[in-house]
Structure formats: structure tokens, C-alpha cells
Amino acid sequence: MAKEELPGVLILDIGGTQGVLENLAALLKKHFHLITMKEFLENKEEMSKKIQSVFVFECRPTIDRELLESLPNLKVIGNSGVGVDHLDLKMISSFGVKVTNTPHAVADPTADIGMALMLASARRLVEGCQIAVSPDTKHFAVDWLGVEVTRATLGIIGMGSIGYKVAQRARAFNMRILYHNRNRRRKEEEEAVGAHYCEKMEDLLQQSDFVMLIVNLTPETHRLIGKKELSLMKPTATLINISRGAVIDQDALVEALQSKVIRAAALDVTYPEPLPRDHPLLKLNNVIITPHIGTATVQAIHMMAEEAIANILAVLNGQPIPSEVFPK
Amino acid sequence: MEGGELPGLLVNEIGGICGILHSHVAFLRKHFYLITMKELLENRKHLSRKVQAIYLWWHKPVIDRELLQSLPNLKVIANSGVGMDHLDLKLVASFGVKMANAPRAVCSSTADAGMALLLASARRLVEVHHIAISSSMDYCEADILGVKVSGATLGIIGMGRIGYKIALRAKAFEMKILYHNRTQRKAQEEQAVGATYCEKIDSLLQQADFVMVAVSLTPQTRNLIGKRELELMKPTATLVNISRGAVVDQEALVMALQTGVIWAAALDVTYPEPLPRDHPLLKLKNVIITPHLGIKTDKTTYMITEEAVENILAALNGLPMPSEVLPS
């Protein structure tokens, strides 16, 4: 099919620090006429009619009212990733545009990152690597110790697909698993991973050696973990966040880490991303921060693009949509 | 035990660079009269007869003929940890002294460390943490993309207690598990972790995305992984070593990492430890090195001491020792 006959998809850019990776662009080109934001802005009249979809990669391009008004034939926004807190679902819906996400592609790699951060924090991996290569190191101190993961208690806040996969992995480390969720899981699901439901989040916080946040960001989960919740945690406990930065009150977290109210934190997400370079979280030695790499694998990026493409095509072809997201 | 003196236990030192942990002293003093090497050397006449047992903490004190000859009532040497490659087993046995290691205490913690290193390497945790906290905010997606762990192929070389615990953990990540061992495990054991036996190490090396080395160091396993083995590995594969540095030909490894013969390495052990500060391994971007932290947790170090005490008391009471080690 000639390039111009394929439905148009708008992306921010190809390559660079903000754009879609080259090989993903190639994937998109198989099904769509790829239009970058620059091309669109340079030739609005012609391009605006061609754009039937937008591929949102790492929250870019920003979807605002102005953009939606300028795309008369827009039918779908295909988000790469599962979180859609960066999209105004009501506003987009008011234009008759559908929104889709990619829940399947993100689950495994994000669960893996949760486990990676928990293990790295517990065993002081980043610090250990620094010691191993430091020019000042003459010997390895024998009283330099981390904390045990095997048989420790993991409290999972948010037991959706990703939370459940974390529970499956943690079980293999003989961890005792507690979870807190809007809804309780079925008994068979709980038994399969040995997870105990904590109706009160406070109970989970008080008993856990590791607390892992795996919720969606919604008005209800905004600042879910604040001063009160941190003070309920054990002083030997570690907080791991793989959900969204805004689920935690960051100022309260800094305070808690500085005064050893909790032992450590490992954050794949912050608010904003990235943090300003003078932010106290960057200086604390009991924090590991990673730049939102939950789905940053060669394979996952590819799978997310394929899942987004499948969703976009389903919308454009009037077929059942695998993962549509609706405003509340 | 009857009244009177507790049996004398020789240790290298208490606290300090390589001494017994302060937190273990009270427990040891319940069962033994603790004698440090310094005290022994200052008061040989009086103290040498009292020493009935030695507790080696990180391979110290060094056990040589001179020491063995000077301790007429020595009955047992207990090692902290499972590796015995630093001991001349035949020499010790020739003095009628029994030996024990701590195989049970070390397994879970070492398996956890193996998984921590595998995940950290695959997801470039150390590298991206430094990007997240660095003063510059410029990076491309390509700089932070790792490789998947879930669903990848893990080849375990050395399927003893530790190797098997790694298999249990890796199974929960839905990894495909291959293993190579002196002997094949029982069918039920293989099935429980979904592991496939590779009689030839070559077959494992050719298929694995991650090669985890978990053997003991013996004359047969010295330089087990050399140029030939590294070249059999996939260029996208990662080598993880949690056994002993000398199991890997370090020069060959440096070469392989520099020329892209393999993708990356994660080493909890090297030869020597620590490496000289100008060693090429410290400079390679695709290597993470940790300071032999396999058993370095509060719980596991304590369990090791408990296991050592159990063995020592059994030996002194003429009972079967839980983990006696005999010369081959």
C-alpha cells in the first residue's frame, strides 16, 4: 500500500532524547503513514486531515485541547504503557476520540523491576558496586551487611496484574506476602501465591519489611503514602515505588529517610521526572532512584508498540478493541 | 556440659577488618571461652592447651602446619561459609582434626544475591541510577534500555544447594532453566523447577541468555569458564559469578567483554578480592562487581555462626556433625 494511503499516526519525533526509537518508527511505518509533530506544524492544513491516530510514547506528545481541535479526523490515542494519568480522559472523550493502553506488555518487565529494586536496596548493591571499584578500597569490610530478602515480609499495595506478578516472584523467595487492594482477590488467587489480604493498609505497613507500591495514580491514590503511613512502617523497612511519583508525599519521604523513620527507599518513579538536580532525594545514600525504567527493555518497548498498534488498528477498522480506557 | 571451664574457641579477632561480628560474641560466649589470635600469641604456654576449636571467619586465622602443631587439644575447625578452597583439608585431617562448613546457612542469601546481580545487570540498574542522580539530565532511551529477564533462558552451572535455590527463584520469573552439574538431579527435582539437564556444558553455554556460575572451587573447576567457554556463549549473554573468582579465567573475561564476545558480566567474586585498583575489570562499562556480599546480611551471618557452633559442639561431644567436610 502506498505510504499516503495508510492511516496517519502522529508522533512527537523519531530518535533524539524525546522521540520514538528508530526501530519502533520502522514498526509503525508498516501500518501507518508516520507524521512527526514538526511535519504536522509545518504543514497543518494538509497533515491535519490525515491524522487518524496519535502514538503516545513516554507521555509525548502532550494531548491538549488545542491539538484535539486541530485534528478533525482523529479517532484514537494509542498510549504506549499502562498508566494514563497524563491524559485528560474526559476531555479526550468529549471529542469522540478513544484512548487505549498496553496492559499486557508492561506487566512482566515492571514486576521484574520491582523485584530488582527490592533486591538491590536490601543487599546494598549500588553502594557495593561503588566500594568494589573505589580507588580507596583496600579490603572488603566483613561487618558491611545488608538485610535479608528470603523469608522477609513483603507488603504489596495494589494487587492488579503487576502486583500479582510481583507476588508470584516474591513467593519463590519464601517471602511472607501481605497485600492491600480496593478489592480482595479470589481465595484461589490468594492461595496460589500465599498472599494474605490486609483490609486496613495500616496493618500491612506495620508488619512489612518491604512495602511495594503498585497502584494506578488516581485522585484516591494521590499522596497515599504520607507522613502518617511512613511512621507506621518499621524503622528497618524499605519502601519501593514502581507506580507513580505522586502516590508518595515526597517531602514526607525525604524527612522519613533523613531521620531514619524507615531504612531505605527505591524509586523507579518520582514527581516530577526527572527530579530537579538539587532535590534532597538525589543526595540521600539510602535511596536508589532509577529513571522510570519499568518497561525499558528492548523486548518490552517492542511489545508495547505492537500492542498499541493492534489497539489503534482495531479502532480504525471498527473491530473489538483489546484495551480501551474509559473516563471514570 | 559439666561445670568448670567452657572449651576454648580460637578466633582471629573480634570486630575490626576481618574479625568475628560483635553481635555474635554474646552467643559464642555462652558455649565457649573465646581466645583471639593476639591473646594466643601473647600467652602461648597457657592458652594453646585450651584451644579445642577454631572458628574461621572469612578464612582467618590462616590454618598452617605451625598453627596445627601448636594446638595439642584442637579437635575441630568450623568454617563460616560453604567454600573450603582456602583450607588444606588433607593437612588438617592428618592432625586428627575434624572440619565443618555451613552449607545450609549460606544458600538462600547467596541465591538472592545471584538473582540481585542478574536483575541489576539485565536492567542496567547501577548505570541508570547514576544517570538518574547525575547533574546532567540528557540521556536517550537507548542509554537506559536493558534486556528482559522474565521468559529468558538461564543456564546454571553447578546445581548444588545454591544452584537449586536459584532455579526455584528463576522459575517464578518464567525463565527457561538449563543446568550443568557433575551429576544429574532426580527427575522430581528437575520437574519441580522445570530444569533441563545439559550433560555437555557447551549446550548450556550456546543457549543461555544468562549463565550463572554456582560451583565450588576445586582443581576441576579452576578456570572452568575460559576463552573457549566465553566464545560459545551468545554475544547477547550475561555471565554472573557467585562462586569463586578463580572459576573464571579473568584475562579471558576482560577480552571477551572488551570485544563484545559476551554482553556483560556481574561478579560477586574475583581473584583476588579486592582486585588491584588498576585492574581492567574495574573500568569496563558492561561489568558490575560487588564486594563478595553473597552472605552479607544480618540474618545469614548469624545463622552461619549458629551452624558453626552446632558443628563444633557435636564434634567436641563425639556426636555426628551436621556438616562435616572430609578430604576428597
Side-chain angles (χ1 to χ4, degrees):
Chain A
M1 205 185 275
K3 179 178 108 158
E4 283 69 27
E5 286 177 31
L6 293 172
V9 70
L10 176 69
I11 64 170
L12 180 70
D13 196 3
I14 300 174
T17 56
Q18 312 253 320
V20 164
L21 289 167
E22 301 271 358
N23 57 357
L24 293 193
L27 201 59
L28 289 165
K29 279 178 185 165
K30 279 195 206 161
H31 304 277
F32 306 102
H33 169 204
L34 204 61
I35 301 166
T36 66
M37 200 53 130
K38 187 165 179 282
E39 287 166 347
F40 167 61
L41 294 171
E42 282 172 356
N43 194 353
K44 256 187 162 154
E45 259 208 62
E46 196 195 327
M47 291 295 165
S48 62
K49 294 190 188 61
K50 293 183 189 283
I51 292 169
Q52 296 188 46
S53 56
V54 182
F55 176 68
V56 174
F57 179 71
E58 296 189 343
C59 307
R60 295 186 279 257
T62 307
I63 309 295
D64 54 21
R65 188 171 284 278
E66 194 191 329
L67 182 66
L68 293 166
E69 279 169 353
S70 65
L71 301 173
N73 292 327
L74 181 65
K75 302 202 172 32
V76 55
I77 292 166
N79 189 59
S80 168
V82 68
V84 288
D85 47 280
H86 54 289
L87 296 171
D88 185 337
L89 299 178
K90 273 210 178 80
M91 179 187 65
I92 295 166
S93 178
S94 72
F95 283 83
V97 174
K98 292 184 191 292
V99 174
T100 65
N101 63 356
T102 62
H104 303 291
V106 307
D108 280 337
T110 310
D112 289 356
I113 271 295
M115 296 299 294
L117 285 168
M118 178 169 66
L119 285 159
S121 180
R123 305 303 295 269
R124 298 170 72 182
L125 205 103
V126 174
E127 213 185 318
C129 289
Q130 278 158 358
I131 290 169
V133 304
S134 161
D136 301 326
T137 294
K138 294 186 173 53
H139 56 262
F140 294 151
V142 303
D143 56 355
W144 181 92
L145 304 175
V147 297
E148 204 78 67
V149 168
T150 288
R151 287 190 217 286
T153 300
L154 169 63
I156 299 174
I157 298 178
M159 190 78 131
S161 312
I162 300 171
Y164 197 74
K165 281 183 183 267
V166 169
Q168 285 170 325
R169 285 149 178 71
R171 183 162 204 259
F173 290 73
N174 295 116
M175 296 189 87
R176 179 175 163 237
I177 300 167
L178 308 173
Y179 79 100
H180 176 74
N181 205 39
R182 272 174 305 189
N183 310 302
R184 188 167 176 172
R185 283 225 172 214
R186 293 199 318 270
K187 189 155 170 276
E188 313 84 67
E189 291 176 328
E190 287 184 348
E191 281 172 5
V193 295
H196 304 275
Y197 184 58
C198 289
E199 196 172 336
K200 289 213 190 111
M201 197 171 72
E202 291 74 19
D203 293 336
L204 180 153
L205 294 169
Q206 283 168 328
Q207 298 178 66
S208 297
D209 300 301
F210 299 92
V211 175
M212 197 174 306
L213 304 176
I214 321 182
V215 291
N216 289 326
L217 177 60
T218 65
E220 293 74 42
T221 62
H222 189 261
R223 292 197 169 197
L224 183 66
I225 303 297
K227 186 171 193 229
K228 171 172 165 261
E229 289 72 28
L230 292 161
S231 62
L232 283 169
M233 285 171 66
K234 294 182 183 181
T236 50
T238 305
L239 179 67
I240 299 129
N241 191 6
I242 56 169
S243 62
R244 283 290 180 270
V247 171
I248 298 178
D249 174 348
Q250 271 176 187
D251 292 337
L253 179 63
V254 170
E255 176 94 27
L257 288 163
Q258 281 170 341
S259 44
K260 306 273 192 269
V261 164
I262 65 172
R263 184 196 79 99
L267 315 170
D268 190 40
V269 288
T270 58
Y271 182 77
E273 280 169 18
L275 289 168
R277 299 293 86 190
D278 59 355
H279 198 283
L281 276 174
L282 303 185
K283 298 176 184 47
L284 292 168
N285 65 3
N286 51 351
V287 181
I288 298 178
I289 300 181
T290 48
H292 203 150
I293 54 165
T295 56
T297 72
V298 171
Q299 299 91 345
I301 294 284
H302 197 93
M303 269 180 70
M304 288 198 299
E306 284 184 330
E307 197 173 344
I309 290 168
N311 272 283
I312 293 170
L313 290 175
V315 173
L316 298 184
N317 296 333
Q319 285 157 353
I321 306 162
S323 346
E324 185 172 359
V325 187
F326 301 97
K328 290 272 180 292
Chain B
M1 204 169 271
E2 310 91 285
E5 265 181 31
L6 292 172
L9 178 69
L10 177 66
V11 298
N12 196 49
E13 59 176 322
I14 296 174
I17 295 174
C18 46
I20 299 285
L21 298 182
H22 284 290
S23 53
H24 298 188
V25 169
F27 170 64
L28 289 167
R29 286 205 164 120
K30 272 198 213 159
H31 302 281
F32 307 105
Y33 169 47
L34 279 184
I35 302 167
T36 65
M37 275 301 282
K38 186 165 182 282
E39 288 166 344
L40 177 69
L41 294 171
E42 284 171 355
N43 196 353
R44 261 220 150 102
K45 257 182 120 145
H46 180 62
L47 291 175
S48 57
R49 305 201 65 80
K50 291 187 187 282
V51 175
Q52 294 190 46
I54 301 177
Y55 182 30
L56 292 179
W57 187 251
W58 285 98
H59 312 178
K60 294 218 172 67
V62 174
I63 307 298
D64 55 18
R65 189 175 285 279
E66 193 192 329
L67 183 67
L68 292 165
Q69 278 168 342
S70 71
L71 302 171
N73 293 323
L74 180 64
K75 296 189 176 45
V76 56
I77 296 172
N79 186 51
S80 70
V82 65
M84 300 292 269
D85 47 279
H86 54 289
L87 280 173
D88 184 338
L89 304 179
K90 283 211 172 73
L91 174 69
V92 172
S94 72
F95 281 81
V97 175
K98 290 182 191 285
M99 290 165 291
N101 62 356
R104 291 191 320 272
V106 304
C107 309
S108 295
S109 183
T110 308
D112 289 358
M115 293 303 293
L117 260 82
L118 187 157
L119 284 159
S121 179
R123 304 301 293 269
R124 300 171 76 173
L125 216 82
V126 178
E127 224 181 313
V128 304
H129 167 76
H130 287 116
I131 288 175
I133 64 169
S134 86
S135 48
S136 151
M137 297 204 288
D138 280 330
Y139 63 87
C140 300
E141 184 74 21
D143 294 339
I144 65 170
L145 274 188
V147 295
K148 75 174 187 185
V149 168
S150 282
T153 300
L154 170 65
I156 301 174
I157 299 176
M159 192 76 134
R161 279 190 175 92
I162 296 171
Y164 196 74
K165 289 216 174 225
I166 289 168
L168 283 166
R169 285 148 177 71
K171 177 173 199 268
F173 288 78
E174 293 177 277
M175 297 186 88
K176 179 177 171 212
I177 300 168
L178 309 171
Y179 77 101
H180 175 73
N181 205 39
R182 275 172 302 189
T183 54
Q184 186 166 2
R185 283 226 171 211
K186 298 207 270 283
Q188 309 101 287
E189 291 175 333
E190 286 184 342
Q191 271 155 33
V193 295
T196 305
Y197 185 55
C198 291
E199 199 174 336
K200 288 221 168 86
I201 201 177
D202 299 35
S203 164
L204 178 152
L205 294 168
Q206 284 162 332
Q207 298 178 71
D209 298 305
F210 298 92
V211 175
M212 174 93 56
V213 184
V215 293
S216 347
L217 176 60
T218 66
Q220 293 75 37
T221 62
R222 188 170 288 273
N223 285 333
L224 179 67
I225 306 296
K227 183 171 194 279
R228 190 192 82 94
E229 290 70 29
L230 293 162
E231 281 171 359
L232 284 169
M233 284 171 66
K234 294 182 184 179
T236 51
T238 300
L239 179 72
V240 182
N241 189 8
I242 55 166
S243 62
R244 284 289 180 269
V247 172
V248 174
D249 175 347
Q250 274 176 186
E251 268 180 49
L253 178 63
V254 170
M255 194 72 187
L257 288 163
Q258 281 171 340
T259 54
V261 163
I262 66 170
W263 182 251
L267 315 170
D268 190 39
V269 288
T270 57
Y271 182 76
E273 280 170 21
L275 288 167
R277 299 293 85 190
D278 58 356
H279 197 283
L281 277 175
L282 302 185
K283 298 174 184 46
L284 291 170
K285 263 193 84 180
N286 51 350
V287 181
I288 54 175
I289 304 177
T290 47
H292 203 150
L293 51 67
I295 54 97
K296 286 181 177 168
T297 70
D298 45 2
K299 284 204 168 73
T300 292
T301 49
Y302 200 82
M303 276 165 47
I304 287 170
T305 291
E306 285 179 325
E307 199 168 348
V309 168
E310 213 187 320
N311 275 283
I312 293 170
L313 293 176
L316 296 184
N317 293 329
L319 295 167
M321 290 160 65
S323 21
E324 183 170 6
V325 178
L326 300 165
S328 304

